[in-house]
Amino acid sequence: MSAPKRIIYIPFDHLHRSYGALKGADSKTDLIAMVESARMTTGRKWHKERLFFLISSARHFANSLEIEGFKVEYVKAPTTIAGLQLIKDKNKGLPIICAEPSSIRQYEDLKKYEVTFVENDFFLTPRPFFKSWADEQKSYLMESFYRKQRVRLDILMEGKDPVGGAWNFDKENRLPPPKKYEGPAYLEHKRDQIDNEVAAELAHTATNTWATTREGALAQLKNFVNNHFAEFGPLEDAMTSENWALHHSLLSPYLNNGLLHPSEVIHAAMKKFKTGRIPIESAEGFIRQVIGWREYVNGMYWYLGADYRNNNQLGASRKLLPLFTDSSKTQMNCIKETIGDIEERAWVHHIPRLMLLSNLALVTGTNPQEFLDWMREVFIDATEWVMVPNVIGMGVHADGGQMMTKPYAAGGAYISRMSNYCKPCVYDPKLRVGEKACPFTTLYWDFLDRHKETFKKNHRMSQQVFGLNRLSDLPELKERAHEVLEGLERGTI
Ligand code: SF4
């Protein structure tokens, strides 16, 4: 390398050679900076599988840049800025370039440190474009944004019309779990020397679930498209103790740390769809997650700003329940299974996240920020921009309905329909009072009762609130709800 002319800083979620600040980078003149900050590794109770994935991916990426001929300064430091300062001190006078960070806090920190930004193109939607869309909306409906994306990006369109004659096929995509899962086995990722070093540093036994290289991420994409894509849609909401992922793609960690770009995922999915072997309900359901929901959530994170994460419009003040951090602290089978899966591999799909974990936080009145912090800490793909809108807006309705028109509160009936968790459970999803009553069912009604004044004005909730009038056992139910909440706090329910 001749004398470097600039420092390119690569955060751990910008790991792509062709996007962000690395686009057009030249190994002869660009020095690469990467920082493993203590705030990131030891600052919180991060799930070790998550740390392993993020750090090992970053070290593999640094290694691949070195193989390409780049000089890479990979340092450990108390904070990102302290790490950059170390690198700057060694390379006096060089400017630092970075793609706009993916979190507001890092954006502000780096701006103060006078880092020069280039556009963050790790998404399909530029931030100004999203802002102009949101500025025109009365309510920020994901569905409106998604349709606009389909047209703008010309994906699954036949002229002006959606392929298959409808914008979404949700009705087809609500099957309960199959009696017996007979899908192909999941891809396993062999561990190499870098993986082993990171695992040893973390005193962690890593699973073989998550790839930590670009090659591994591409193999995961290929595996999904060839082996799971066709059946993804109808089973995308199902939950089963028989199988931890059904036909989910398992691609979000790589999309979120940069090992895959959404355009690559869309390209592979559309290529497969065009072979005629993928039903429209699977194709549309998957495309919606990538060009709709993912882009919408990121757009909303930036649009709603830094204070949005502090919302607590329902005044929820309960401390995080012990079952969230220890699956032995509950008898609720659905929660025990889900927390057990998270403990094992730092992942469960969107429905357990929304309809079990967030639903439980919502109906128990758990403090939104405590719950948000926990969700950030335990999921492999939980970036700040993903979790803030998903938890505050969608999961626990702490924003007073800014993002979602109604809270996602549900009793045991939904969980019983969409999973096989209830049969072996000590509780009965149909019961709302008594010792065998399903805590979700009891707390669903208790939640509606506690917030009836707020929700009776909401046209999407008024019927549910009205249902309270038909409950002849409401006083008994309130008593049981009190017992359930106490039991959940003690870790005995
Ligand atoms: Fe969960 Fe209730 Fe079903 Fe038990 S009965 S698994 S607590 S929904």
Side-chain angles (χ1 to χ4, degrees), residues 332-335 412 415-416 421-422 425-429 438-440:
M332 298 168 73
N333 193 42
C334 52
I335 296 292
I415 298 158
S416 170
Y421 292 142
C422 296
C425 185
V426 298
Y427 302 112
D428 182 339
C438 165
F440 271 115

